[in-house]
Amino acid sequence: MSDFINKLYKNQALFYKVFLYVLTAVLIVYLLPKGGKFKYDIPKGKPWQYENLYAPFDFAILKSDEELKEERNEIKNSHIPYYSYDTLVPSKVKKEALQQVQNVFADSILKSYQKIIDNFVTKTIDKIYEHGLLQESNRLEPDQLVYLLKGNEASEVSYKKIMKQGEVRSFITHEIEAAGFTSFKTELLEVFFNSIEPNVTFNSELTQKDLQSKLDDISYTRGIIEQGSRIIAKGEVVEGNKYNILRSLKAEYESQVWSKSNYNWIIVGYSTLVALALLMLLLFMRKYRPNIFENNVKVTFIFFNIIFMVMLTTLVVNFNIQYVYVVPLCILPLTLKAFFDARLGLFTHVLTVLLLGFIVPNSYEYMFLQIIAGIVTILTVSELYKRANLFISVGQITLVYIISYFAFTIIQEGEIQDVKIEVFLTFLLGGLATLFVQPLIYVYEKIFGMVSDMSLLELSDTNSKLLKELAEKAPGTFHHSLNVANLAEAAANEINANAMLSRVGALYHDIGKMQNPTYFTENQTTSVNSHDELSPRESAQIIIDHVIKGIEIAKKNNLPDRVIDFIRTHHGTTTVYYFYRKEKEANDNTSSLDFRYPGPIPFSKETAILMMCDSVEAASKSLKEPTSVLIDNFVEKIINKQMEEGQFLNSNITFKEIQMVKKILKRKLKNIYHLRIEYPE
């Protein structure tokens, strides 16, 4: 049992990867559509390349988007609006008008004409409210039919029959003149205008409800294809009705309610393909990126980004398929390139696009556009911390999307008129969304504890709190670190290593010397040497401890692990030779192990570069009268000694690259000492 537990403990990293692999595959399969996948591509405007196709089952022919749009517009244009008629207003107005007659007309007139006037007013009001009085101006055509709703009954009337408030004065004037009441015109107008009010209003709620009901009743199909009917023959051009029938068959095939047995087989198929794609990614990392494969945090980060992109695309497709290109898929290679390298970023991007091909329609077009955009992203984006580079890259990505879509549309439709401008807008939105990569990288750094070039740029600022403290407490060490940073950056550029990381690592590699600055020669400003009062062992221990103290200070100030690696490895397992030799002279039995740095030795090109640059720069201060030949021999001697001690065995740096670093260091030191070429006498 204990052996099993020990074995389990030793292989916990592998078990975690297996768990992560299975979990990622399950989540992706869960997000994929579970219908059947239509096995034919539908090449619009091209000959049918497959064998004769017969209907496998009965299905309805779907109407095209243009047909549905035309049908909706026709319903909207022919739709009859509803107007509500208030039946209480006419009787109220009559009562008010008869009262106004009593108030407006003189008693002498009323004695002779009251009954005639009352009858005229009543009849005129009946005419005005026959179809109602509407306050609005003419918003419809005169012959437009409307539904006039009186209580629960709706009658169909012409819009022009409903009197508008602007027509009331002319109508009343005409009625007065026709009845021969011209002498009472002023009084009658006053009676009507003091009592009349609108009683018809536009019923927007009922109108909209009725319109929506008719729109909802639109049939999305026309006609039926019976099982066994020939749909298309080999060589026939896929266009017009043939294209609509094939599109309908595909939609019906993918939306069928599958039996439990079929459903399970579909899940097995999806699981196999997804698992295979993810396995290829793991094998790629294991073979070509072993340092990433061994780091579970980095593997988790990569798988998380794949799940995130699949989930985001699924949400957008379910919301509205037209916005599928708004998803900034190029964020994936951008992010992976920022944290790792371009090759891994492109490989992961391609596998993710292949998985998304199960989700989106027109999968070939989608995959082509996204893979091309991913390649452009990898080729164009360099030094992501420079904002201009990101904007330029986003512009290029958007342009490639637009050109590729334009070409696909011409191939499929055969003419430029069918290019949809709104799709170009989705590409622009997707490009703008890609700019979100910078804050996203910052979030990833905080969550996963990784470091990108943007963070390295911030750390390289010599006005940062930690570097300012180093400059105040140990000015000589700070100056030494600046020189080493310049050398390391130049060497890294020469062998295509990470120059920014090398520079930042060099700036912070000696921060441990802040604890006891005067015990290091570069900070001694007087002839008094602090080591004179200590034994060689004590002095050596103080020198060695600056690595341990540097790691403590770095962790306290939340420096990234990649930067702490430089502090930990910049002396490797070398010996503090000066104090070892001094102790050896006093005690011949002294072991060099007591004077050796704890290590580890450098395990990357960048940390190996720092070890070389640090040793050469520090030792160069001992040169009294440097010459070109002396510097060449000096650099060769120091780096060759490090190679003999096996300090670069774990770093993936080649002999050729070491020679290139030597060449850079020699040239830089000669520039520092302002040496000229020595000519023979």
Side-chain angles (χ1 to χ4, degrees):
M1 184 66 181
S2 59
D3 292 340
F4 175 76
I5 294 173
N6 290 334
K7 190 175 181 180
L8 187 67
Y9 178 77
K10 288 179 182 178
N11 295 290
Q12 58 178 329
L14 180 60
F15 287 131
Y16 175 79
K17 288 184 182 67
V18 172
F19 168 75
L20 181 66
Y21 170 75
V22 173
L23 178 64
T24 304
V26 168
L27 287 174
I28 292 175
V29 171
Y30 175 77
L31 292 170
L32 295 179
K34 301 305 185 297
K37 193 72 178 177
F38 194 58
K39 61 181 178 180
Y40 301 109
D41 287 327
I42 304 177
K44 186 177 181 182
K46 293 183 178 180
W48 181 254
Q49 299 293 327
Y50 310 99
E51 296 299 325
N52 294 356
L53 180 62
Y54 296 90
F57 41 73
D58 295 342
F59 66 93
I61 304 173
L62 296 174
K63 294 177 182 176
S64 65
D65 293 338
E66 291 74 16
E67 288 176 316
L68 290 172
K69 185 178 180 181
E70 185 179 343
E71 198 168 333
R72 289 191 188 97
N73 289 335
E74 186 178 345
I75 289 174
K76 289 177 182 178
N77 293 334
S78 62
H79 182 250
I80 299 176
Y82 280 82
Y83 283 83
S84 297
Y85 183 100
D86 190 343
T87 55
L88 298 177
V89 171
S91 56
K92 175 187 171 186
V93 169
K94 281 182 186 178
K95 185 177 179 181
E96 179 66 25
L98 294 176
Q99 182 63 44
Q100 287 294 326
V101 169
Q102 298 291 331
N103 297 335
V104 171
F105 283 91
D107 292 340
S108 57
I109 296 175
L110 290 175
K111 285 180 182 178
S112 304
Y113 301 103
Q114 181 174 356
K115 191 172 182 180
I116 297 173
I117 293 172
D118 287 348
N119 287 336
F120 172 76
V121 169
T122 303
K123 288 179 181 179
T124 303
I125 290 174
D126 287 337
K127 290 179 181 180
I128 291 173
Y129 288 103
E130 180 181 0
H131 297 292
L133 177 60
L134 186 62
Q135 188 171 4
E136 68 182 30
S137 56
N138 293 317
R139 60 188 294 269
L140 300 175
E141 293 296 325
D143 295 329
Q144 167 78 47
L145 293 177
V146 299
Y147 286 120
L148 197 61
L149 193 63
K150 295 182 179 180
N152 295 324
E153 295 182 3
S155 57
E156 199 175 85
V157 299
S158 176
Y159 181 70
K160 64 184 177 183
K161 290 185 178 180
I162 302 175
M163 187 171 293
K164 318 303 181 295
Q165 195 159 1
E167 302 170 353
V168 172
R169 185 180 185 88
S170 59
F171 175 78
I172 294 174
T173 301
H174 176 268
E175 290 295 315
I176 291 172
E177 292 174 352
F181 290 134
T182 309
S183 56
F184 302 139
K185 181 178 179 180
T186 303
E187 290 85 351
L188 287 171
L189 286 173
E190 184 178 351
V191 167
F192 284 114
F193 281 111
N194 285 343
S195 54
I196 286 175
E197 61 181 77
N199 75 321
V200 176
T201 54
F202 175 63
N203 193 326
S204 59
E205 182 180 354
L206 188 58
T207 301
Q208 190 60 36
K209 187 176 179 181
D210 184 56
L211 175 61
Q212 191 60 48
S213 175
K214 290 179 179 178
L215 291 174
D216 292 340
D217 288 339
I218 291 177
S219 173
Y220 287 82
T221 62
R222 53 172 179 80
I224 293 177
I225 300 295
E226 295 182 355
Q227 183 178 358
S229 302
R230 192 178 75 177
I231 297 173
I232 192 168
K234 185 176 181 179
E236 277 191 79
V237 178
V238 180
E239 59 183 357
N241 194 47
K242 294 288 184 184
Y243 175 75
N244 286 334
I245 294 173
L246 285 169
R247 188 172 61 89
S248 303
L249 174 60
K250 180 180 179 181
E252 180 67 24
Y253 190 86
E254 294 181 349
S255 64
Q256 276 189 352
V257 179
W258 296 86
S259 66
K260 186 176 181 181
S261 174
N262 288 341
Y263 181 83
N264 291 338
W265 278 115
I266 290 171
I267 295 296
V268 169
Y270 273 136
S271 301
T272 303
L273 293 174
V274 171
L276 192 61
L278 295 177
L279 180 62
M280 294 302 103
L281 179 58
L282 283 175
L283 292 176
F284 174 85
M285 288 190 287
R286 186 171 181 270
K287 184 174 178 63
Y288 297 106
R289 300 293 183 271
N291 58 326
I292 297 175
F293 181 79
E294 295 298 330
N295 190 318
N296 282 339
V297 173
K298 292 179 179 179
V299 176
T300 304
F301 173 74
I302 293 169
F303 277 52
F304 170 80
N305 274 275
I306 294 173
I307 295 171
F308 177 67
M309 284 301 164
V310 173
M311 185 180 297
L312 190 60
T313 305
T314 304
L315 289 173
V316 172
V317 168
N318 291 337
F319 172 72
N320 192 331
I321 192 64
Q322 295 180 354
Y323 298 134
V324 68
Y325 287 107
V326 175
V327 179
L329 200 62
C330 289
I331 281 182
L332 180 60
L334 273 175
T335 305
L336 296 184
K337 185 180 179 182
F339 286 112
F340 307 119
D341 62 87
R343 191 175 176 187
L344 177 61
L346 182 59
F347 193 88
T348 307
H349 177 72
V350 170
L351 286 179
T352 305
V353 171
L354 292 177
L355 294 175
L356 292 175
F358 294 122
I359 298 173
V360 299
N362 299 324
S363 55
Y364 178 77
E365 176 186 329
Y366 177 84
M367 289 190 291
F368 184 91
L369 263 64
Q370 295 293 8
I371 290 174
I372 290 294
I375 293 172
V376 170
T377 303
I378 293 297
L379 293 177
T380 58
V381 176
S382 58
E383 299 176 328
L384 190 60
Y385 56 85
K386 295 181 180 179
R387 289 172 295 179
N389 288 357
L390 180 59
F391 280 98
I392 292 170
S393 179
V394 167
Q396 292 171 332
I397 292 167
T398 306
L399 183 62
V400 166
Y401 272 131
I402 291 173
I403 293 172
S404 302
Y405 170 75
F406 181 78
F408 263 104
T409 304
I410 291 176
I411 291 171
Q412 293 172 353
E413 305 296 340
E415 51 187 19
I416 299 177
Q417 288 81 353
D418 292 324
V419 175
K420 297 178 181 178
I421 303 299
E422 56 268 23
V423 179
F424 294 156
L425 295 177
T426 64
F427 291 141
L428 292 174
L429 291 174
L432 292 174
T434 306
L435 296 174
F436 187 69
V437 68
Q438 283 196 326
L440 187 63
I441 286 175
Y442 175 79
V443 172
Y444 282 155
E445 287 176 337
K446 298 304 178 186
I447 295 175
F448 292 94
M450 297 191 295
V451 59
S452 68
D453 284 351
M454 286 183 280
S455 291
L456 292 176
L457 180 65
E458 294 175 3
L459 291 170
S460 67
D461 184 8
T462 54
N463 287 317
S464 64
K465 179 184 175 183
L466 192 54
L467 290 181
K468 285 178 74 174
E469 186 180 354
L470 177 63
E472 292 172 4
K473 292 183 177 179
T477 299
F478 177 71
H479 184 261
H480 159 72
S481 298
L482 285 177
N483 290 337
V484 174
N486 292 331
L487 292 174
E489 185 176 19
N493 279 322
E494 187 71 16
I495 66 171
N496 293 320
N498 191 328
M500 180 63 72
L501 179 61
S502 300
R503 179 175 183 81
V504 172
L507 287 173
Y508 290 91
H509 79 282
D510 269 344
I511 56 175
K513 292 181 179 180
M514 287 192 293
Q515 297 286 350
N516 297 301
T518 57
Y519 286 91
F520 300 90
T521 55
E522 66 264 26
N523 299 310
Q524 294 172 357
T525 56
T526 64
S527 58
V528 179
N529 191 333
S530 302
H531 290 283
D532 292 342
E533 299 178 359
L534 302 175
S535 68
R537 285 181 180 276
E538 291 173 330
S539 296
Q541 194 57 49
I542 291 174
I543 299 297
I544 292 171
D545 282 349
H546 88 272
V547 173
I548 307 300
K549 290 176 180 177
I551 295 171
E552 292 173 356
I553 294 170
K555 289 184 176 179
K556 186 178 179 181
N557 285 271
N558 297 318
L559 289 185
D561 289 339
R562 290 178 76 185
V563 177
I564 296 175
D565 288 340
F566 286 87
I567 302 172
R568 186 181 289 115
T569 62
H570 75 278
H571 284 295
T573 55
T574 58
T575 303
V576 185
Y577 189 72
Y578 175 81
F579 292 110
Y580 167 65
R581 191 180 64 182
K582 195 173 180 182
E583 179 70 15
K584 187 85 170 172
E585 292 172 357
N587 183 3
D588 194 49
N589 295 324
T590 301
S591 172
S592 63
L593 295 176
D594 298 331
F595 294 83
R596 186 171 293 174
Y597 285 97
I601 61 176
F603 45 79
S604 67
K605 287 183 181 181
E606 291 78 16
T607 51
I609 288 170
L610 175 62
M611 173 178 275
M612 290 185 263
C613 295
D614 180 44
S615 302
V616 167
E617 203 283 333
S620 68
K621 297 295 189 292
S622 64
L623 296 175
K624 303 297 182 185
E625 297 179 358
T627 63
S628 180
V629 175
L630 185 61
I631 286 177
D632 287 349
N633 294 334
F634 167 77
V635 171
E636 289 285 345
K637 179 182 177 182
I638 289 177
I639 296 179
N640 287 342
K641 188 173 186 299
Q642 292 173 340
M643 292 173 65
E644 289 170 6
E645 293 178 353
Q647 297 299 318
F648 306 135
L649 291 178
N650 289 347
S651 55
N652 58 338
I653 191 168
T654 64
F655 286 115
K656 181 180 179 181
E657 289 170 336
I658 292 174
Q659 292 302 318
M660 294 168 71
V661 172
K662 286 180 181 178
K663 184 179 177 181
I664 286 293
L665 293 178
K666 292 172 185 176
R667 190 174 74 221
K668 288 289 182 181
L669 287 176
K670 289 172 186 177
N671 291 338
I672 291 171
Y673 289 110
H674 306 289
L675 295 180
R676 295 178 182 271
I677 298 173
E678 295 181 1
Y679 295 96
E681 295 182 0

